[in-house]
């Protein structure tokens, strides 16, 4: 995982993988502040954008979701992702 700094980042991405969730819903599920969730998503987007020129999550209405292209390569290694150029 090129964008995750710790286990909390991984938990956020796992939560976003299934269905879109608002920062408040994520915060309630993970027992953290919703602003912390927002900052972490923004940091992961920045790191992923630096690597592949795309965000990892996008906002749809009031909810955050993983980008659709990422759904198919969830858990893949960086080299595999670059080779497929999703």
């Amino acid at each position: 995982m090129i964008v995750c700094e710790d286990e909390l980042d991984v938990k956020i991405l796992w939560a976003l993988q299934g269905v879109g969730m608002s920062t408040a819903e994520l915060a309630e599920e993970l027992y953290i502040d919703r602003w912390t969730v927002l900052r972490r998503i923004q940091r992961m987007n920045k790191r992923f954008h630096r690597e592949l020129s795309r965000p990892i999550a996008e906002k749809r209405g009031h909810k955050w979701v993983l980008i659709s292209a990422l759904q198919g390569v969830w858990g893949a290694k960086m080299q595999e992702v670059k080779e497929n150029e999703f």
Side-chain angles (χ1 to χ4, degrees):
M1 300 296 299
I2 58 170
V3 297
C4 298
E5 289 183 337
D6 59 12
E7 188 176 315
L8 186 56
D9 286 350
V10 174
K11 287 180 182 180
I12 290 171
L13 291 180
W14 274 110
L16 291 177
Q17 181 191 15
V19 295
M21 298 179 84
S22 68
T23 53
E25 293 169 334
L26 282 166
E28 185 178 317
E29 185 175 312
L30 300 172
Y31 304 107
I32 56 174
D33 184 69
R34 67 186 178 114
W35 300 110
T36 303
V37 172
L38 179 62
R39 284 191 303 268
R40 285 181 172 263
I41 290 172
Q42 290 172 337
R43 277 190 247 143
M44 286 188 284
N45 270 344
K46 185 176 180 180
R47 286 191 295 270
F48 199 74
H49 192 274
R50 203 175 321 136
E51 293 291 329
L52 294 175
S53 301
R54 296 184 76 168
I56 196 166
E58 60 188 7
K59 195 153 187 185
R60 293 188 186 154
H62 292 286
K63 299 186 180 224
W64 285 92
V65 295
L66 288 182
I67 60 171
S68 58
L70 192 62
Q71 297 284 344
V73 295
W74 179 251
K77 295 186 176 167
M78 182 62 181
Q79 186 169 348
E80 295 171 4
V81 174
K82 283 185 177 179
E83 287 172 359
N84 293 333
E85 286 298 320
F86 66 95

